[in-house]
Amino acid sequence: MIIYGTNGAHVRTTPLPADAACPGCATSGTMQLSVFSRYALIYWIPLFPYSKPAVLQCGHCQQAWEEKNVPSELREPARALKKGTRAPLWHWSGLGVLAALIGWGAIASSQDARANAAYLDAPHVGDIYTVREKDGERNYSLLKVVSVKGPTVDVVPNEFQINNNHPIDELNAPAKYSKESFALSKFELQIMKNKGQLTDVDRLEE
Ligand SMILES: [Zn+2]
């Protein structure tokens, strides 16, 4: 269950220009505007601010006006003060974390792609290829490199398929591989990768 909601916080209270007079008691220089920020929450983490309610109050007679009721002669200075008041950055922290995670994911996946290309280019005994059949639900399996001869590798296929694009955790046990190996050239491996049939390369032992 995702827990979400909204909350509000006082941002700042600023005096209106000294010539602004209170519409209630006519005192000048006592008007002040309080600006609040309302923000969305997810799991108690502020996600983003979505509105900035403001309240105008007279420090002398204590009368207060919500934004929509602010008398017309004070509307413009109140609006200017509100415009100059920003929601604090921490009201954005959820979106900030999300953006950082997405950026980190993009970096990690491009590093993984570079490592895969390097491994395919210079195969080692023990490299494990994740391969994917075109159809069917349980369509991921493994090929394990058992020898490298120049531009060709010998691989043994795993005898199992699962419906998980990271089958290595479940399938990489010696007993689960066939005893019969077959040869693949680096060129063929490259074609399999380009076609999306070879989706990952893992090198467990260095
Ligand atoms: Zn007043």
Side-chain angles (χ1 to χ4, degrees):
M1 184 175 71
I2 295 175
I3 299 171
Y4 60 94
T6 66
N7 203 352
H10 173 248
V11 181
R12 68 168 180 173
T13 297
T14 328
L16 256 61
D19 61 346
C22 171
C25 68
T27 314
S28 285
T30 57
M31 300 304 292
Q32 51 186 21
L33 186 78
S34 294
V35 180
F36 301 82
S37 169
R38 291 206 63 83
Y39 53 91
L41 288 168
I42 188 158
Y43 292 111
W44 305 278
I45 301 164
L47 202 55
F48 55 85
Y50 64 90
S51 80
K52 257 189 332 192
V55 176
L56 190 65
Q57 190 172 23
C58 170
H60 181 69
C61 71
Q62 304 302 325
Q63 212 177 319
W65 294 265
E66 281 188 44
E67 246 175 321
K68 57 179 187 292
N69 301 325
V70 168
S72 56
E73 66 271 25
L74 297 179
R75 219 163 267 171
E76 216 21 72
R79 190 175 301 159
L81 279 184
K82 175 178 164 169
K83 216 175 159 193
T85 305
R86 285 183 183 284
L89 273 181
W90 64 268
H91 288 186
W92 291 96
S93 42
L95 276 196
V97 167
L98 216 59
L101 283 177
I102 289 169
W104 178 78
I107 289 168
S109 88
S110 84
Q111 281 177 343
D112 190 44
R114 270 203 300 275
N116 284 352
Y119 291 163
L120 268 192
D121 204 47
H124 280 192
V125 169
D127 283 357
I128 294 167
Y129 305 137
T130 296
V131 289
R132 179 169 180 243
E133 306 290 336
K134 219 183 291 163
D135 303 308
E137 251 180 52
R138 299 164 69 81
N139 54 359
Y140 285 93
S141 190
L142 300 171
L143 297 173
K144 184 160 76 173
V145 176
V146 290
S147 75
V148 180
K149 298 168 196 148
T152 306
V153 295
D154 285 333
V155 295
V156 286
N158 199 283
E159 293 181 319
F160 298 83
Q161 287 95 38
I162 60 170
N163 177 24
N164 176 340
N165 66 6
H166 198 71
I168 192 162
D169 299 330
E170 204 172 314
L171 299 187
N172 187 36
K176 291 184 174 174
Y177 287 94
S178 165
K179 302 277 177 285
E180 303 288 318
S181 69
F182 62 93
L184 283 172
S185 68
K186 283 205 279 185
F187 184 63
E188 286 171 307
L189 290 171
Q190 199 59 53
I191 289 171
M192 287 168 70
K193 177 168 170 276
N194 293 344
K195 283 184 170 173
Q197 294 166 343
L198 190 161
T199 60
D200 197 14
V201 184
D202 290 283
R203 181 167 292 173
L204 301 184
E205 59 267 53
E206 277 295 329

